[in-house]
Amino acid sequence: MTSIGIVGAGVAGLHLGLHLRQQDLDVTIYTNRTAEQVAEGRVMNSVAHMSATIEIEHELGIGDWPGTDAEYSYHHHYNGWGDERRFSGVFEKPARIIDYRIYLPALMAEFESRGGDLVIRDLSVAEIEQLTEQHDLVVVSTGKGEIGALFPRRQDKSPYTTPQRKLAVGFWKGVAPREPRGVEISVVPPAGELLTLPMWSFSGPVHALLFESVAGGPQEALTDQRYEEDPAAYRALTLRVLEEFHPTVFERVNPAEFELQSGARDILQGAVTPVLREDYVLLPNGRFLLALGDVHMTVDPVQAQGANSATYSAKVVADTIRDDKVFDERFMKKVARRRAERLEASNDWVNTMIQWPPAPQIPELFTEMVHNRALADRYTENFNYPIGQIDLVGSPERVAAAVRETSALLEPAGS
């Protein structure tokens, strides 16, 4: 029987494992944390799954989450440019956000219940290379430092060598929902961005506040000031930043109830350097390693493309394995070719949005969407379709063309 080894039990590795168990393949996932350690650990992210990802989850039989209330259908915007700043866009089908400390352990249990082998151990680069002698194919979906460095950085698709935003995300109570229910995206130069995400966590509905702060800007203290050193001071700082820069979120806060869901484990502070790496690497023993998930592509979380791209990529890998079980360089190139357009589009789109100072077409786009609902809906729905999004935002000419096209839709008949 074909044997596949997967390094990493994040969304990419677990999705791939479940896809391959549907093919009745022998699959082992290696991870350094048990399901209990994941559930009891610090928040990892504030990932939104778009409807395109939810469709893949239904294919895997993991699309239903009874007892949760995690879906939303709107993006509400506070635009940092122009006199009128508020607008909304709507999805054709709902997205949802579930705390990954709930989501990932559930998938780990499901993988094992379907006959997958979950091995808890730390792996060095040498040990990963040894796995290629045990499995027909080894896929690496997580790993920093030397493990990440196994796959060379693509210079043509990795324009940044340092983080472009300082990040701070906390799961807060005391924030009223925006109606209709949706994510709120507040863009305020020169501070940065704030994503306010309605999600389901251990205490039920909470809001993830994801601050994306420009280095040197007025809200970067939310990353630099450590919550654990003085929780009350950090809470007060968060309220001050909301009041000064993100008024449409601050107006929803009840200060008497505003607190982290369960203290320090519900906040994460740091930064990521966006990078797209090569799809595969040839080892000295003549075997290949295939990259997946964060090891392959790391994007800033501001456009919610990391996990959604990873689930798409895992499906491409699984579909290719269904068709071809000769894991030579031709196989590796098939995978690379089949997933390239969408992943590169996600990468390019996010890198355009985090450019600082902003790419010139972005203020134009956001200002136009205040009055152009058709354009706002297209921009929103394209969170499912990164190729369509980079086609929209990739240049001033593309934004201008989209404005002309959607403006025509707003004109009364016979005008």
Side-chain angles (χ1 to χ4, degrees):
M1 178 184 292
T2 300
S3 174
I4 311 293
I6 302 168
V7 180
V11 63
L14 286 166
H15 271 231
L16 178 58
L18 290 168
H19 279 296
L20 297 179
R21 284 306 302 147
Q22 285 186 332
Q23 299 179 32
D24 200 29
L25 299 181
D26 178 14
V27 188
T28 302
I29 294 178
Y30 301 88
T31 179
N32 62 359
R33 291 199 294 172
T34 66
E36 292 76 17
Q37 288 171 326
V38 173
E40 295 170 2
R42 186 183 288 268
V43 57
M44 293 172 280
N45 50 42
S46 52
V47 172
H49 284 196
M50 302 299 143
S51 62
T53 294
I54 294 172
E55 289 175 7
I56 294 174
E57 291 174 328
H58 281 295
E59 292 177 17
L60 289 172
I62 56 170
D64 297 321
W65 289 83
T68 66
D69 183 14
E71 293 189 344
Y72 66 94
S73 294
Y74 279 75
H75 276 179
H76 302 289
H77 292 262
Y78 181 75
N79 168 29
W81 300 280
D83 296 327
E84 296 181 65
R85 297 192 169 190
R86 301 191 190 205
F87 67 93
S88 297
V90 62
F91 287 110
E92 294 179 7
K93 297 179 181 179
R96 72 173 165 222
I97 310 175
I98 296 175
D99 191 332
Y100 261 36
R101 295 171 298 179
I102 297 172
Y103 181 83
L104 293 181
L107 266 59
M108 293 166 80
E110 187 67 22
F111 173 71
E112 289 189 291
S113 75
R114 297 184 187 184
D117 190 11
L118 191 67
V119 174
I120 311 300
R121 71 185 268 207
D122 277 307
L123 291 170
S124 66
V125 168
E127 289 169 325
I128 291 173
E129 292 179 355
Q130 290 171 6
L131 292 180
T132 64
E133 304 291 346
Q134 303 173 32
H135 300 285
D136 298 297
L137 173 67
V138 174
V139 181
V140 182
S141 69
T142 190
K144 300 178 180 179
E146 290 185 347
I147 294 176
L150 282 168
F151 302 94
R153 178 175 175 270
R154 282 187 55 180
Q155 302 290 340
D156 62 322
K157 291 295 178 181
S158 305
Y160 305 119
T161 56
T162 59
Q164 298 303 291
R165 296 291 189 275
K166 292 185 173 182
L167 308 177
V169 59
F171 294 177
W172 295 88
K173 297 187 290 185
V175 181
R178 175 71 70 200
E179 296 297 341
R181 179 187 282 185
V183 167
E184 184 154 1
I185 303 169
S186 180
V187 181
V188 182
E193 300 85 19
L194 167 63
L195 276 65
T196 304
L197 304 112
M199 65 177 296
W200 187 266
S201 187
F202 295 107
S203 65
V206 297
H207 280 85
L209 301 187
L210 170 57
F211 291 92
E212 295 250 346
S213 303
V214 174
Q219 73 177 31
E220 72 170 350
L222 289 168
T223 301
D224 296 343
Q225 181 173 316
R226 308 310 295 177
Y227 172 84
E228 295 90 337
E229 294 176 0
D230 191 336
Y234 192 90
R235 174 186 173 278
L237 172 64
T238 303
L239 288 171
R240 288 199 301 273
V241 170
L242 290 173
E243 183 175 18
E244 183 172 358
F245 298 107
H246 306 288
T248 59
V249 177
F250 183 73
E251 67 190 15
R252 294 197 273 145
V253 172
N254 179 347
E257 299 178 359
F258 187 70
E259 62 180 358
L260 288 174
Q261 175 183 228
S262 56
R265 67 188 290 260
D266 273 340
I267 190 166
L268 183 67
Q269 298 163 276
V272 298
T273 300
V275 62
L276 182 61
R277 297 185 177 91
E278 297 290 351
D279 290 81
Y280 61 92
V281 62
L282 176 63
L283 298 175
N285 66 358
R287 299 291 191 94
F288 290 92
L289 292 175
L290 179 65
L292 179 70
D294 286 344
V295 162
H296 184 218
M297 184 176 78
T298 302
V299 293
D300 188 285
V302 70
Q303 302 297 307
Q305 289 306 297
N308 291 281
S309 296
T311 58
Y312 169 81
S313 185
K315 179 172 171 54
V316 170
V317 173
D319 289 347
T320 308
I321 291 172
R322 178 182 286 111
D323 300 336
D324 184 356
K325 294 180 177 60
V326 179
F327 302 117
D328 57 5
E329 189 163 18
R330 176 170 173 77
F331 173 89
M332 303 296 157
K333 288 182 175 179
K334 281 185 185 179
V335 171
R337 183 175 64 252
R338 292 176 180 182
R339 67 186 180 182
E341 185 176 16
R342 176 165 171 173
L343 296 191
E344 290 181 7
S346 294
N347 178 78
D348 295 350
W349 160 29
V350 177
N351 285 342
T352 298
M353 300 304 293
I354 62 174
Q355 181 178 320
W356 193 261
Q361 67 269 27
I362 301 307
E364 177 185 351
L365 171 66
F366 275 64
T367 301
E368 175 66 22
M369 286 193 290
V370 172
H371 301 288
N372 188 331
R373 181 59 181 269
L375 185 60
D377 285 348
R378 177 185 296 184
Y379 178 79
T380 301
E381 183 63 18
N382 276 345
F383 275 68
N384 283 291
Y385 307 109
I387 297 170
Q389 197 75 302
I390 194 61
D391 284 347
L392 169 61
V393 307
S395 68
E397 293 78 14
R398 289 185 174 278
V399 168
V403 169
R404 290 193 299 270
E405 179 182 346
T406 52
S407 294
L409 299 175
L410 303 175
E411 295 176 359
S415 62

